[in-house]
Amino acid sequence: MGGWAIAVHGGAGVDPNLPPQRQEEAKQLLTRCLHLGISALRSNLPAIDVVELVVRELETDPLFNSGCGSALTEKGTVEMEASIMDGPKRRCGAVSGVTTVKNPISLARLVMDKSPHSYLAFDGAEQFARQQGVELVENEYFITPENVGMLKLAKEANAILFDYRIPTAGYETCGSGVESPLQMNGLPISVYAPETVGCVVVDGEGRCAAATSTGGLMNKMTGRIGDSPLIGAGTYACDLCGVSCTGEGEAIIRGTLAREVAAVMEYKGLGLQEAVDFVIKERLDEGMAGLIAVSKSGEVAYGFNCNGMFRGCATEDGFMEVGIWE
């Protein structure tokens, strides 16, 4: 065994005009989450507990798009989704369309541990949450003034905004320099940036786990489900590795991105970073995305094909890195 390793992300596709203060705030949050995970790993918590703990912290902070601070639907409400997977027996749990659960990742964990199912959505997920006694809040808890402003901009532009966090001041400079507009399922969108949080961990026993949580896209259609709650697309863990993805959800779904990392490791015999690089290059078609991954031997890797990705990683041998750009 190569010891424990952990990686976190706060979304891929960072706008190059993101103010330095926001970049620093993001780095501080990622660093705090890494230290939280490192402390848990040093206390011998299993990987599955650590990924839930870290993603809960990310959901509670409004900086990234999950939990408090989630992107808004076309109706101005929040619909969140999350998934978690435990590598040793490929146990998993996922939720979608959650509107009152303070920490969707913990509800996904309960689906895995306390229900006969792997995935619950909308009214069924909310009912299960009440049955399990998880902390519930009003939908307004998740809505920030900044996101209300971004939804207004999205509606004025008649567009789905990937970068719902670009400051309203100076918005005209953000993403406007892109020569060829990105498309989602063949339809143009305006700009592209973070939309998900995630964590992957391998513990000292070589057990891998992954967790991903998001509010989705700004101005998304009510009922839209992205890659984050889909096992094999946005989240995957097995005996070999744990993977969490972020970016253009529709492209990640089509490429079954997270599972592909494990598949090329298993069937092609690639190492972790080789597998990540291969999948980012060969499985996204024209989509934009990124991912973080750990292997059972204590390796950590990441990759992305867009402007940047909020990420951080650490290993038992003392290595630690937090970054945004390439």
Side-chain angles (χ1 to χ4, degrees):
M1 294 297 174
W4 56 256
I6 179 173
V8 297
H9 73 73
V14 185
D15 189 90
N17 296 309
L18 194 66
Q21 180 182 348
R22 293 300 294 267
Q23 295 183 37
E24 186 58 33
E25 289 172 353
K27 289 180 179 178
Q28 290 176 1
L29 175 55
L30 292 168
T31 300
R32 187 173 85 230
C33 288
L34 279 179
H35 283 303
L36 180 66
I38 289 168
S39 177
L41 285 163
R42 287 174 174 167
S43 300
N44 296 318
L45 260 67
I48 191 67
D49 290 347
V50 180
V51 294
E52 180 188 2
L53 178 71
V54 170
V55 172
R56 280 179 62 94
E57 183 73 10
L58 288 162
E59 289 176 338
T60 303
D61 193 294
L63 186 64
F64 292 135
N65 176 12
S66 66
C68 180
S70 286
L72 306 181
T73 70
E74 60 187 356
K75 294 184 178 179
T77 58
V78 166
E79 292 182 353
M80 299 165 291
E81 47 197 23
S83 64
I84 191 168
M85 191 163 189
D86 193 13
K89 292 186 179 179
R90 291 199 292 268
R91 298 168 61 246
C92 60
V95 293
S96 285
V98 175
T99 60
T100 65
V101 177
K102 187 175 183 180
N103 291 106
I105 196 63
S106 291
L107 184 60
R109 175 75 185 271
L110 286 168
V111 171
M112 181 180 78
D113 288 342
K114 302 294 185 181
S115 87
H117 307 302
S118 295
Y119 195 165
L120 294 175
F122 297 93
D123 290 346
E126 293 282 336
Q127 180 180 347
F128 180 70
R130 292 190 292 270
Q131 291 171 349
Q132 294 298 314
V134 303
E135 185 174 1
L136 303 177
V137 293
E138 295 296 324
N139 197 249
E140 289 74 16
Y141 162 82
F142 306 104
I143 300 173
T144 64
E146 182 181 29
N147 287 348
V148 172
M150 288 309 303
L151 179 63
K152 182 174 182 291
L153 284 173
K155 287 186 174 297
E156 288 173 354
N158 194 27
I160 294 170
L161 292 187
F162 274 88
D163 193 342
Y164 69 98
R165 296 183 309 103
I166 290 175
T168 52
Y171 172 76
E172 65 279 357
T173 68
C174 296
S176 59
V178 178
E179 293 180 2
S180 55
L182 289 166
Q183 295 192 339
M184 185 165 60
N185 280 351
L187 300 175
I189 58 170
S190 57
V191 288
Y192 176 90
E195 43 153 326
T196 305
V197 303
C199 179
V200 293
V201 166
V202 57
D203 60 28
E205 301 295 320
R207 297 171 295 200
C208 298
T212 312
S213 181
T214 188
L217 304 176
M218 181 62 72
N219 201 26
K220 66 183 179 180
M221 294 175 64
T222 303
R224 182 260 185 182
I225 294 172
D227 67 287
S228 298
L230 301 183
I231 299 302
T235 304
Y236 191 73
C238 60
D239 288 337
L240 286 175
C241 63
V243 184
S244 175
C245 300
T246 172
E248 184 188 337
E250 280 66 16
I252 294 170
I253 292 168
R254 294 193 303 271
T256 57
L257 215 62
R259 167 59 185 157
E260 280 291 290
V261 174
V264 296
M265 290 180 71
E266 182 175 356
Y267 302 131
K268 281 181 170 286
L270 299 185
L272 184 68
Q273 188 66 61
E274 287 180 301
V276 169
D277 293 342
F278 176 87
V279 167
I280 291 292
K281 182 179 179 181
E282 302 293 340
R283 295 293 183 263
L284 277 168
D285 301 320
E286 297 179 356
M288 296 286 190
L291 62 85
I292 54 174
V294 292
S295 74
K296 67 177 182 180
S297 58
E299 301 167 292
V300 64
Y302 62 85
F304 52 92
N305 66 351
C306 38
N307 288 334
M309 179 170 70
F310 292 112
R311 82 273 179 183
C313 54
T315 58
E316 190 170 358
D317 62 12
F319 172 79
M320 184 172 174
E321 175 185 86
V322 174
I324 301 175
W325 315 109
E326 289 189 19

